Amino acid sequence: MGQIMEQMPIVVDALNIGFLQTLKLFFVTLIGAFPLGLVIAFGSMSRFGPLKYFSKFVVWIIRGTPLMIQLLIIYYFPGLVLHTPIWGGGESGRFLAAAFSFVLNYACYFSEIYRGGIQGVPIGQEEAGLVLGMTRRQIFFKITLLQMIKRIVPPMSNEIITLVKDTSLARIIALQEIIWAGQAFMKGSHGISGAIWPLFFTAVYYLIFNGILTLLLGRLERRLDYFR
C-alpha cells in the first residue's frame, strides 16, 4: 500500500496527460463529425443518383467495418503501400490520422441519425410551409430542423457516450491517450513496471466524464420537451 501511495503522483500526472489527449480527440471528432454527418445525410437523400449512391456506399463501408481496422488502414496505408506518408511523424501525425478516422467514422453514424430525424418529420408540415409561401430553405431551418433536433438527441447521446470509450482504440496506432498511459506502467514507464492498478484508475476518468456528459445531455433532452 505504501508503494502505491508513493507512485500515485507519478501515475496521476501521466493519466492526466493521457486524458487531455483523449479529450482533445473527443472534441475534435464532434466538431468535425456533426457538420460532415449532415452533409453526408443530405447526400444520401439527394435526388442526384450518383451522389446518393456514393454517399450510401461510403456509409455502408464505414458502418460495416471495425473502427480499429479503419485506424490502421488510414494511418499505415499511405506510407507502407503508396509510399507517400501524409500524416507526418511523431505524436502530432498519429493524432491527425486518428482524428481523421474518428471524424469520418462518426460522421457516417451521425448521418443516419440525421436522415432518420429529417425523414421522421411529417411530410404534411413541409407541404403546409409551401402553401404558406415559405421556401424549402425556410421550411428546413424553421420547421424541420428544430423538430429533427428533438428526435435525434437520444440516439446522438448514445453515440457521444460511445465515442468517449472508443477514443481508447487510438492506442492501436500508438497515440498516447489515457489507456496507453495506464498500460505503460505495466511495461516500465517512469521506473514503474508490473503495476496494473493504474488501469483501474483510467476507468474512473471515463466514468466521471461519461457521468457529466449524461447529465448535460439529459438536461438538453428535457429542455427540448416543448416540441412534443
Side-chain angles (χ1 to χ4, degrees), residues 51-89:
L51 176 59
K52 176 180 179 179
Y53 291 112
F54 175 75
S55 299
K56 286 182 174 292
F57 178 74
V58 171
V59 171
W60 175 67
I61 292 292
I62 296 299
R63 294 179 70 201
T65 55
L67 176 54
M68 184 180 293
I69 298 298
Q70 295 165 23
L71 279 162
L72 290 171
I73 292 174
I74 288 172
Y75 182 63
Y76 289 110
F77 185 83
L80 294 179
V81 179
L82 303 180
H83 306 292
T84 309
I86 62 175
W87 304 114

Side-chain angles (χ1 to χ4, degrees), residues 16-35:
N16 285 341
I17 294 172
F19 188 60
L20 286 176
Q21 189 78 297
T22 294
L23 287 179
K24 183 180 174 184
L25 181 58
F26 171 79
F27 284 113
V28 167
T29 300
L30 288 186
I31 291 170
F34 277 142

Side-chain angles (χ1 to χ4, degrees), residues 92-155:
S92 61
R94 288 189 288 270
F95 180 83
L96 283 174
F100 180 85
S101 303
F102 273 82
V103 168
L104 180 60
N105 182 277
Y106 273 84
C108 288
Y109 280 94
F110 288 170
S111 73
E112 290 298 285
I113 297 174
Y114 285 137
R115 187 172 63 84
I118 293 171
Q119 294 178 339
V121 177
I123 189 66
Q125 297 192 23
E126 181 180 347
E127 294 172 347
L130 291 172
V131 169
L132 292 172
M134 299 175 69
T135 65
R136 292 193 179 275
R137 180 184 178 88
Q138 289 174 324
I139 292 171
F140 178 76
F141 284 102
K142 294 185 178 182
I143 298 176
T144 306
L145 181 62
L146 296 177
Q147 295 185 66
M148 180 197 76
I149 291 173
K150 169 59 186 173
R151 293 170 184 270
I152 68 174
V153 166

